[in-house]
Amino acid sequence: MDAAWDPTAVEQLLADDRAHVWHPYASAVDPLPVLPVASASGTRLRLADGRELVDGMSSWWAAIHGYAHPVLNRALRDQVDRMAHVMFGGLTHEPAVRLARQLVEITPTSLTRVFFADSGSVSVEVAVKMALQYWQGRGQPDRRLLLTVRGGYHGDTTGAMSVCDPVTGMHGLFRALVPQQVFAERPRPRFAEPVRDSDLAEVANLLDRYAGQLAAVIVEPIVQGAGGMRFYAPAYLTRLAALCREAGVLLLLDEIATGFGRTGRLFASEWAGVVPDVLCVGKALTGGYLTMAAVLCTDEVAAGVSAAPGGALMHGPTFMANPLAAAVASASVELLLGQPWQQRVAEIEGQLTAGLAPASALPGVAEVRVLGAIGVVEMAEPVDLRALTPRLVARGVWLRPFGRLVYTMPPYISTAADVAAITDAVVGALAQDG
Ligand SMILES: *Cc1c(COP(=O)(O)O)cnc(C)c1O
């Protein structure tokens, strides 16, 4: 019998968790309750008391193939017997080179160089460093500002925070630390709406006003994730990319949430036919197994950085290109491409659309929207996690709403019944009084 099944052991675990362990964006003294997970497989999280929950979160976009997938487990086991890690300074290895080859192959042709980072946030830091060092190498060191849109999310490290939405992105808390960047209004046209020139007038003005000081524009393509789960018009991104080219600034795209099929395209930028100068991927890169992200850039960017004083890109994490992460990432990419993932994501999109539709009629619901395997119910007021989470759990589903958003991005292996369980739980929990 698993020790975690013993009720007193579980109580002790939760007490120690409360006493010692910090959770994301949580108070140490008055944290929200947490659920102890004993194991996970397929689309199910198994709690310490034996209950099973259908996972609607893919562990924050990452576990696209579900949990304990036999192919990914095998890739990891095979690699751990060969080597768990070696430093990447002065050494290289097959898992890293193989993954780099795959990433270069599945992204636009002009992206040829890969930098492996430890997390999405760190990859954004690296992308920003690339942009700044690029301009140093091109003899324009005054280009060191970033332009972005409001409502964005790019991670929690300092440089990444500087391009998150200034209000929801914690700038007020860390004013002394966070550099001032240039912000335009969030993209107005929704996914299916037409785009007018006036929608990008402010961006065009800012590109003009800060000409000579801007290193790059950074945005999330199509989906603004943690900044509000909004889907904006692909034509907005197409025009933004054209404005960047005209202004001669680099375009950095953050596909950390959207990459690997989530929106119905392998990369969300494909909706807009846009090729960035620098691309960040993470989250689903390792299929949700280990922390790893990657920054891809063009030969032109790489050449610029290499012409900068010192000639090197100034970043080098201890666990760079970790072989375990690289091996499981490689297997995850192969697993994804080896199956009809577009069809799966389209099916989930249809199931989410149908299943969440009744939520539109519920009191307090502002909007229901779906894109690819992402379903969002936006409420008029912030949701009360303390009340809502137990109602979802009672319906056998794991979701983690935030702010005014109850949202789901299920693993691609989810069956129609899994997706129905999720959407029924959302509708039922939101309909339930008190
Ligand atoms: C999650 C996320 C990040 C940060 O990634 P971490 O691995 O959590 O550091 C950056 N950008 C976007 C768009 C994200 O969704």
Side-chain angles (χ1 to χ4, degrees):
M1 197 74 165
D2 189 335
W5 285 71
D6 170 1
T8 43
V10 173
E11 248 169 65
Q12 188 59 54
L13 180 102
L14 288 173
D16 290 346
D17 182 277
R18 252 185 119 78
H20 305 299
V21 183
W22 230 309
H23 285 266
Y25 311 107
S27 163
V29 291
D30 183 28
L32 287 171
V34 292
L35 295 170
V37 180
S39 62
S41 74
T43 58
R44 297 295 198 276
L45 308 181
R46 194 163 51 89
L47 302 184
D49 62 9
R51 278 181 298 170
E52 284 197 341
L53 299 181
V54 176
D55 174 41
M57 296 302 289
S58 299
S59 286
W60 280 334
W61 313 86
I64 54 175
H65 307 296
Y67 301 89
H69 194 290
V71 172
L72 303 189
N73 283 8
R74 190 174 342 108
L76 201 50
R77 274 198 210 101
D78 289 351
Q79 183 57 42
V80 81
D81 288 338
R82 279 192 289 273
M83 68 183 155
H85 186 65
V86 291
M87 63 189 283
F88 211 51
L91 301 174
T92 193
H93 46 76
E94 202 257 344
V97 178
R98 177 160 30 106
L99 178 59
R101 263 194 229 119
Q102 286 170 308
L103 291 175
V104 166
E105 193 164 305
I106 65 176
T107 54
T109 347
S110 57
L111 298 172
T112 55
R113 310 280 167 157
V114 183
F115 186 100
F116 290 110
D118 339 37
S119 71
S121 301
V122 172
S123 77
V124 170
E125 302 291 336
V126 169
V128 169
K129 284 184 173 182
M130 268 183 194
L132 267 58
Q133 285 199 276
Y134 170 79
W135 288 113
Q136 288 165 21
R138 289 286 175 252
Q140 299 187 54
D142 291 338
R143 284 187 179 269
R144 48 180 177 242
L145 280 179
L146 302 169
L147 170 64
T148 186
V149 292
R150 290 177 187 272
Y153 178 76
H154 297 283
D156 290 347
T157 52
T158 308
M161 268 199 299
S162 79
V163 285
C164 290
D165 184 86
V167 179
T168 63
M170 306 175 279
H171 289 204
L173 295 177
F174 306 109
R175 207 174 297 285
L177 209 58
V178 175
Q180 292 282 308
Q181 310 290 8
V182 182
F183 288 89
E185 281 315 304
R186 65 158 81 230
R188 188 203 54 84
R190 307 296 195 88
F191 185 78
E193 288 175 356
V195 177
R196 300 173 306 227
D197 285 339
S198 59
D199 293 322
L200 287 105
E202 189 193 12
V203 171
N205 282 339
L206 291 170
L207 284 168
D208 198 40
R209 169 142 37 113
Y210 291 94
Q213 296 173 66
L214 283 173
V217 169
I218 178 168
V219 292
E220 295 153 279
I222 312 304
V223 177
Q224 290 192 295
M229 301 296 289
R230 305 246 193 154
F231 313 142
Y232 67 85
Y236 180 98
L237 183 59
T238 313
R239 291 192 192 200
L240 177 65
L243 288 175
C244 289
R245 258 193 310 280
E246 271 170 44
V249 305
L250 299 177
L251 178 63
L252 276 47
L253 288 185
D254 177 347
E255 293 253 15
I256 292 165
T258 50
F260 304 102
R262 183 54 69 176
T263 68
R265 301 287 163 94
L266 194 55
F267 296 98
S269 45
E270 292 171 17
W271 287 106
V274 161
V275 177
D277 300 292
V278 179
L279 173 71
C280 293
V281 296
K283 288 201 162 106
L285 172 63
T286 64
Y289 271 61
L290 287 162
T291 177
M292 176 181 253
V295 188
L296 284 90
C297 77
T298 60
D299 284 341
E300 164 64 17
V301 170
V305 170
S306 306
L313 178 63
M314 292 313 289
H315 208 91
T318 305
F319 287 98
M320 185 168 178
N322 174 256
L324 294 172
V328 77
S330 212
S332 174
V333 171
E334 221 167 81
L335 187 61
L336 179 67
L337 299 181
Q339 59 175 301
W341 61 268
Q342 280 116 322
Q343 191 188 322
R344 272 311 296 135
V345 172
E347 283 163 6
I348 294 173
E349 180 170 37
Q351 291 153 3
L352 288 174
T353 305
L356 292 177
S360 308
L362 295 176
V365 170
E367 192 187 59
V368 176
R369 51 185 181 266
V370 174
L371 178 68
I374 311 168
V376 182
V377 178
E378 182 167 335
M379 308 300 291
E381 301 293 332
V383 301
D384 176 5
L385 273 185
R386 257 179 231 275
L388 190 57
T389 304
R391 291 188 208 159
L392 293 162
V393 169
R395 290 169 169 81
V397 165
W398 172 243
L399 291 174
R400 178 72 172 172
F402 75 88
R404 295 185 290 113
L405 303 167
V406 183
Y407 68 109
T408 178
M409 51 276 192
Y412 303 163
I413 59 158
S414 303
T415 62
D418 291 333
V419 180
I422 294 166
T423 57
D424 289 352
V426 170
V427 173
L430 291 177
Q432 187 182 326
D433 268 350

